[in-house]
């Protein structure tokens, strides 16, 4: 079997050799927060719920995790690392270099739950689809809050960077995507302006200032080449409003592609798409649910 590298994947799927408590800590270190149900679906979908809840409660007694109760949820719990848990996972090989950002209280956790849990919900749609298809996309193949520098000292923070490997009959195709999760909490114009930021990242080439202090040669070209052999596709996942409102927001994203010169150039080189989260969960991300922002009929995200 040959491999086609659209991007290089660094994630891996859960191993039976790795203890479940270790996996739970790693997931909470990676995703910041997740409900008991989400952790169950991500790590042990075929097992009884107690398989996950029992070690979570043990980790809480050990002072490594805690939870906040979600409002109007029949007392569902959203779990997160304590300061001690965050210090512990810093040494996990899969999380090296990942800022811990410990949550200091249940009140602080409650402020983060709506967006954070929606991002995890989006991840789970891709995980479930990969399992059905036999593709590779596991619990550490989704990294929230990834930051990249832009010009003038600015930076872009994407909601998640996704690693995904499509398994074909005779090849493995490794994909990456920047994922923006929109809960309709910002204006449609502000959402569409995210495309300008991605276009700036795609085109940004830092200029050397003065004498280079490092003995290592400077690699010319766009800054994103430091991390990716191919610029990741950009996916917008929308939720939190009616179909009519979500459709208008997708239309505004398409208008930005059509009207902004730099974004239009990006769209000719990088796949850009938008879809409703409900459709991802109902039909799967590889269903014909993604609207290409450069125009065309809905299609799977892998075919944008």
């Amino acid at each position: 079997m040959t491999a086609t590298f659209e991007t290089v994947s660094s994630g891996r799927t859960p191993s039976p050799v790795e203890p479940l408590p270790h996996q739970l800590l790693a997931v909470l270190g990676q995703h910041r927060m997740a409900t008991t149900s989400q952790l169950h679906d991500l790590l042990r979908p075929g097992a009884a719920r107690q398989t996950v809840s029992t070690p979570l409660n043990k980790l809480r007694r050990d002072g490594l995790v805690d939870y906040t109760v979600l409002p109007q949820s029949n007392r569902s719990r959203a779990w997160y690392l304590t300061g001690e848990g965050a210090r512990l996972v810093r040494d996990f090989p899969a999380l090296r270099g990942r800022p811990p950002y410990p949550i200091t209280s249940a009140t602080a956790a409650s402020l983060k739950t709506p967006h954070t849990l929606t991002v995890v919900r989006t991840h789970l749609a891709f995980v479930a689809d990969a399992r059905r298809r036999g593709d590779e996309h596991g619990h550490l193949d989704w990294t929230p809050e990834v930051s990249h520098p832009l010009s003038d000292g600015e930076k872009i923070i994407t909601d998640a960077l996704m690693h995904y490997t499509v398994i074909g009959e005779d090849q493995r195709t490794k994909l990456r995507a920047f994922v923006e999760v929109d809960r309709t909490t910002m204006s449609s114009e502000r959402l569409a302006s995210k495309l300008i930021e991605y276009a700036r990242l795609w085109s940004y080439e830092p200029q050397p200032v003065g004498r280079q202090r490092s003995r290592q040669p400077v690699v010319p070209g766009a800054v994103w080449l430091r991390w990716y052999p191919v610029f990741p596709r950009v996916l917008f996942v929308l939720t939190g409003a009616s179909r009519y409102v979500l459709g208008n927001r997708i239309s505004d994203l398409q208008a930005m592609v059509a009207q902004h010169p730099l974004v239009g150039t990006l769209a000719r080189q990088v796949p850009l798409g938008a879809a409703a989260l409900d459709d991802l969960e109902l039909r799967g991300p590889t269903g014909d649910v993604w609207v290409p922002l450069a125009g065309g009929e809905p299609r799977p995200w892998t075919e944008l």
Side-chain angles (χ1 to χ4, degrees):
M1 176 180 286
T2 60
T4 301
F5 288 84
E6 176 171 312
T7 65
V8 177
S9 174
S10 62
R12 60 183 180 82
T13 55
S15 167
V17 177
E18 189 176 43
L20 180 56
H22 187 286
Q23 290 183 342
L24 290 167
L25 291 172
V27 167
L28 294 177
Q30 183 89 336
H31 294 271
R32 314 302 191 201
M33 185 182 298
T35 67
T36 309
S37 177
Q38 287 176 333
L39 291 167
H40 175 269
D41 292 345
L42 191 60
L43 295 174
R44 295 295 187 272
R49 290 301 174 97
Q50 291 80 0
T51 304
V52 168
S53 61
T54 298
L56 279 172
N57 287 317
K58 173 65 164 57
L59 290 170
R60 184 171 184 261
R61 291 194 297 271
D62 292 340
L64 299 177
V65 305
D66 206 343
Y67 66 82
T68 183
V69 177
L70 301 179
Q72 301 177 341
S73 66
N74 196 25
R75 297 197 58 79
S76 294
R77 298 175 175 182
W79 297 85
Y80 56 90
L81 296 177
T82 62
E84 184 63 29
R87 285 188 289 273
L88 177 65
V89 303
R90 278 186 311 191
D91 296 326
F92 286 12
L95 299 179
R96 284 174 186 161
R98 179 101 171 109
Y101 296 133
I103 298 172
T104 55
S105 68
T107 300
S110 66
L111 298 176
K112 296 176 178 290
T113 52
H115 185 74
T116 302
L117 297 183
T118 305
V119 174
V120 178
R121 180 182 160 196
T122 304
H123 180 209
L124 283 168
F126 284 91
V127 169
D129 201 42
R131 286 173 180 153
R132 287 192 297 267
R133 291 167 46 88
D135 293 336
E136 296 176 6
H137 180 65
H139 66 302
L140 296 179
D141 292 328
W142 180 277
T143 308
E145 302 169 26
V146 174
S147 174
H148 294 89
L150 299 175
S151 58
D152 302 322
E154 298 177 76
K155 62 182 178 180
I156 179 174
I157 301 176
T158 188
D159 283 334
L161 170 66
M162 177 174 65
H163 309 259
Y164 193 104
T165 303
V166 178
I167 306 298
E169 292 185 1
D170 57 354
Q171 69 178 19
R172 300 167 67 248
T173 303
K174 297 180 180 295
L175 308 176
R176 269 192 174 131
F178 293 127
V179 183
E180 289 291 331
V181 178
D182 171 47
R183 297 186 298 115
T184 327
T185 56
M186 68 175 69
S187 70
S188 187
E189 181 179 358
R190 185 180 169 194
L191 174 67
S193 69
K194 290 287 292 187
L195 284 168
I196 301 177
E197 296 183 18
Y198 282 108
R200 290 177 60 197
L201 174 62
W202 174 74
S203 62
Y204 173 42
E205 296 188 18
Q207 302 299 316
V209 179
R211 184 178 178 181
Q212 294 294 326
R213 296 182 179 181
S214 174
R215 296 181 180 180
Q216 297 180 348
V218 177
V219 179
V223 69
W224 58 265
L225 287 167
R226 299 176 184 177
W227 303 283
Y228 315 111
V230 176
F231 195 86
R233 54 195 66 204
V234 182
L235 306 177
F236 288 83
V237 178
L238 290 77
T239 188
S242 67
R243 289 281 177 173
Y244 177 78
V245 171
L246 298 185
N248 285 340
R249 293 171 83 82
I250 292 175
S251 295
D252 289 347
L253 289 167
Q254 291 179 310
M256 182 64 76
V257 172
Q259 297 171 14
H260 194 285
L262 186 58
V263 176
T265 303
L266 171 72
R268 289 190 287 273
Q269 302 292 326
V270 177
L272 312 174
L277 178 53
D278 286 347
D279 289 337
L280 267 61
E281 293 176 325
L282 180 64
R283 301 168 58 188
T286 49
D288 294 333
V289 298
W290 295 90
V291 177
L293 299 187
E297 295 298 315
R299 63 198 65 177
W301 75 276
T302 53
E303 299 178 17
L304 288 168

